Amino acid sequence: MSVVRSKICGITRLEDGLAAVAAGADAIGLVFYAPSPRAVTIEQAQAIVAGLPPFVTTVGLFVDMPPREIEAVLAAIPLDLLQFHGDESPADCEALRRPYIKALRVRAGDDVVAQVAAYPGARAVLLDTFVDGVPGGTGQAFDWSLVPAQLSKPVILAGGLTPGNVAAAIAQVRPYAVDVSGGVEASKGIKDAAKVKDFVRAVRGVGESM
């Protein structure tokens, strides 16, 4: 049996974080990127993280944020993992000396193997949909056949996943984990607890059959 992990990203309310945990999600994501409709303030994030039970990984998402600003977030919030979703170089990601994952936006013609190899310090890579000028959260899926069968890092699959298509995505890509935001929302930034539950159930179901 191969366990596929699940992360519910774009949490803006404690009740949504608790719903994700109750559904069985392994991680929640907090967006520290002001242009995003799912962005949280330090105060919001503090309240969410403080209210979570143990053994849930908290992930902070950053997009080309200056190191001093990231350090201010880390001083206020005990995040477990950093997710870099912009054009951060390997040196940028390593500079904070925290466990991190690097998001890569996939499009036809990209050398995904080389892109992944460029971040040897990453704990994993998150593969998302490429939309010009948009760092993520597009709600659009990409062609999963573009994901190489063997990569040097664990793969977290993102981009347009929903309770209805995540099983097919896992069966094709066989990722370490999947990441969802818009696909389980009632509105931008507000999660639908039933959709979250259906998503995690679908992830666990296909993982058990692999």
Side-chain angles (χ1 to χ4, degrees):
M1 182 178 72
S2 177
V3 176
V4 180
R5 280 78 175 173
S6 56
K7 169 173 166 271
I8 310 300
C9 198
I11 298 292
T12 63
R13 308 183 303 171
L14 175 58
E15 56 258 49
D16 291 345
L18 293 175
V21 173
D26 300 280
I28 67 155
L30 301 167
V31 178
F32 298 96
Y33 178 58
S36 170
R38 304 174 182 97
V40 289
T41 64
I42 285 179
E43 291 74 20
Q44 283 177 294
Q46 284 176 324
I48 293 167
V49 173
L52 293 174
F55 308 125
V56 178
T57 300
T58 53
V59 184
L61 187 154
F62 303 92
V63 181
D64 298 319
M65 181 180 281
R68 285 185 180 180
E69 294 182 26
I70 298 177
E71 288 169 356
V73 172
L74 295 176
I77 306 160
L79 297 173
D80 298 311
L81 189 64
L82 309 185
Q83 178 176 324
F84 293 109
H85 229 288
D87 295 322
E88 298 89 358
S89 68
D92 293 333
C93 297
E94 297 284 347
L96 289 151
R97 298 184 179 182
R98 293 290 194 103
Y100 76 91
I101 58 179
K102 181 67 180 77
L104 302 171
R105 296 180 294 153
V106 179
R107 56 181 168 178
D110 285 351
D111 187 342
V112 179
V113 172
Q115 289 179 330
V116 172
Y119 292 87
R123 296 293 178 91
V125 291
L126 183 144
L127 301 183
D128 201 355
T129 305
F130 183 93
V131 175
D132 193 32
V134 182
T138 65
Q140 301 178 33
F142 66 93
D143 181 356
W144 300 322
S145 69
L146 297 174
V147 180
Q150 297 294 329
L151 288 172
S152 59
K153 295 290 179 182
V155 169
I156 302 166
L157 185 65
L161 297 179
T162 67
N165 69 8
V166 69
I170 292 171
Q172 181 169 339
V173 178
R174 295 182 176 269
Y176 171 80
V178 290
D179 186 306
V180 67
S181 186
V184 292
E185 286 182 335
S187 60
K188 286 188 184 296
I190 305 299
K191 302 309 182 201
D192 182 315
K195 289 181 180 178
V196 171
K197 186 175 182 180
D198 289 345
F199 184 88
V200 176
R201 183 188 293 120
V203 172
R204 289 188 166 186
V206 71
E208 292 171 357
S209 68
M210 288 169 59

